[in-house]
C-alpha cells in the first residue's frame, strides 16, 4: 500500500490531554509525520542520544481505501480499508521546547523510525472500531491501557474533519491519538503495542 502522508491526531483522549497539561481540544489537533518514518514489526526504533527523552504512544491507525474529499461523517467509515497498530514515537524534550517557544514540533515527531506500524488487517474483519482495547508494554511491563470508546473525536469525525481541508488518498494513514500513560524509552528496551482484534507490533529501542 502506498502512503502519501500520515496524519496524526493530538490529545484525542481526555486523560492524555490532562497528563500533557492541556485542555481537551474543541476541534481535532492535526499534525503530520512523513512516510519515511514508517517501520515494521521487529525493526529498531533508533534515536540519537542528543535528542533527549523519547516517548512511546500506542494508537489505532486508520488506513484509507480510496480517495476521501469532503466526506460526510455518516459515510466516513466506508473509506477505511484497513486498521493497524501504530506507535507515535515522540522526541518529548524537543516537542516541549518547541511548544514553549510557540514553534512547530514537526521534528519531534518525524525522525526516521518514529512510526512503527503493524501489518494492516482488513477493516471488515474488526467487529467494532469504537470498542477496541489498546495496550502498550515496555520490557513486558504494562505502561498504557485504553479503549477507543474514550476518543474525544471518533474515527468518522476525524475523517470528516480532515477531508474537509485535506484530500486523503488511498493508503494514507490516520493515527488517531494515544491514551494516557506515555513515557520514556531507553536503549535496549523492547516496546510492544497491541490492539484487540487488530494486531501487535514489537520493536527494540536503540539510542546512539
Ligand atoms: Mg500521538
Amino acid at each position: 500500500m502506498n502512503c502519501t502522508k500520515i496524519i496524526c491526531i493530538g490529545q484525542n483522549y481526555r486523560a492524555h490531554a490532562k497528563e500533557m497539561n492541556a485542555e481537551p481540544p474543541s476541534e481535532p489537533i492535526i499534525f503530520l509525520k512523513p512516510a519515511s518514518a514508517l517501520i515494521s514489526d521487529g525493526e529498531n526504533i533508533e534515536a540519537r542520544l542528543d535528542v533527549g527523552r523519547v516517548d512511546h504512544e500506542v494508537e489505532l491507525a486508520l488506513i484509507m481505501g480510496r480517495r476521501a474529499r469532503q466526506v460526510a461523517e455518516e459515510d466516513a467509515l466506508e473509506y477505511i480499508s484497513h486498521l493497524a497498530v501504530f506507535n507515535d514515537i515522540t522526541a518529548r524534550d524537543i516537542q516541549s521546547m518547541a511548544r514553549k517557544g510557540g514553534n512547530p514540533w514537526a521534528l519531534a515527531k518525524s525522525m526516521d523510525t518514529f512510526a512503527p506500524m503493524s501489518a494492516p488487517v482488513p477493516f471488515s474483519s474488526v467487529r467494532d472500531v469504537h470498542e477496541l482495547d489498546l495496550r502498550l508494554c515496555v520490557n513486558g511491563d504494562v505502561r498504557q491501557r485504553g479503549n477507543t470508546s474514550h476518543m474525544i473525536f471518533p474515527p468518522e469525525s476525524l475523517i470528516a474533519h480532515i477531508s474537509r481541508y485535506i484530500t486523503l488518498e488511498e493508503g494514507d494513514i490516520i493515527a488517531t491519538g494515544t491514551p494516557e500513560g506515555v513515557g520514556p524509552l531507553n536503549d535496549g528496551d523492547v516496546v510492544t503495542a497491541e490492539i484487540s482484534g487488530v494486531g501487535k507490533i514489537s520493536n527494540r529501542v536503540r539510542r546512539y
Side-chain angles (χ1 to χ4, degrees):
M1 237 173 308
N2 187 42
C3 169
T4 72
K5 54 190 167 293
I6 305 169
I7 297 192
C8 298
I9 308 302
Q11 294 159 23
N12 199 21
Y13 290 78
R14 263 183 198 82
H16 172 61
K18 202 170 162 204
E19 75 180 350
M20 299 302 290
N21 300 314
E23 288 296 313
S26 54
E27 278 207 349
I29 296 171
I30 288 171
F31 60 92
L32 293 166
K33 217 185 237 292
S36 51
L38 282 168
I39 57 169
S40 312
D41 184 49
E43 292 189 82
N44 284 347
I45 296 165
E46 303 199 339
R48 294 171 55 92
L49 286 165
D50 62 15
V51 307
R53 176 172 156 170
V54 170
D55 281 10
H56 55 75
E57 296 189 357
V58 58
E59 309 199 0
L60 173 70
L62 317 173
I63 302 169
M64 305 305 293
R66 56 194 167 107
R67 173 173 291 186
R69 189 168 171 272
Q70 306 198 355
V71 169
E73 208 168 299
E74 51 270 34
D75 303 324
L77 295 183
E78 293 168 23
Y79 288 77
I80 304 173
S81 67
H82 291 77
L83 299 178
V85 185
F86 192 89
N87 195 347
D88 173 20
I89 303 295
T90 305
R92 193 68 72 198
D93 288 341
I94 291 182
Q95 184 193 35
S96 303
M97 218 163 11
R99 284 176 72 177
K100 217 176 287 168
N103 295 317
W105 26 273
L107 178 63
K109 294 283 191 177
S110 299
M111 296 181 196
D112 293 346
T113 76
F114 274 23
M117 192 174 81
S118 69
V121 298
F123 183 60
S124 57
S125 73
V126 173
R127 202 155 39 112
D128 186 1
V129 71
H130 304 106
E131 192 70 62
L132 297 172
D133 286 320
L134 303 95
R135 196 165 83 128
L136 182 137
C137 295
V138 178
N139 305 326
D141 296 333
V142 179
R143 297 282 179 83
Q144 288 188 271
R145 262 184 206 285
N147 188 281
T148 56
S149 62
H150 299 141
M151 284 184 189
I152 298 171
F153 304 102
E156 61 274 22
S157 144
L158 294 174
I159 291 170
H161 180 80
I162 296 164
S163 75
R164 200 171 296 145
Y165 311 101
I166 303 170
T167 299
L168 292 160
E169 302 287 356
E170 179 182 354
D172 283 355
I173 296 164
I174 302 172
T176 54
T178 196
E180 71 272 29
V182 303
L185 293 169
N186 300 308
D187 187 47
D189 283 350
V190 174
V191 55
T192 303
E194 206 174 338
I195 300 176
S196 54
V198 175
K200 187 173 176 171
I201 180 164
S202 225
N203 305 89
R204 186 176 291 277
V205 177
R206 192 171 84 89
R207 304 298 310 260
Y208 66 99

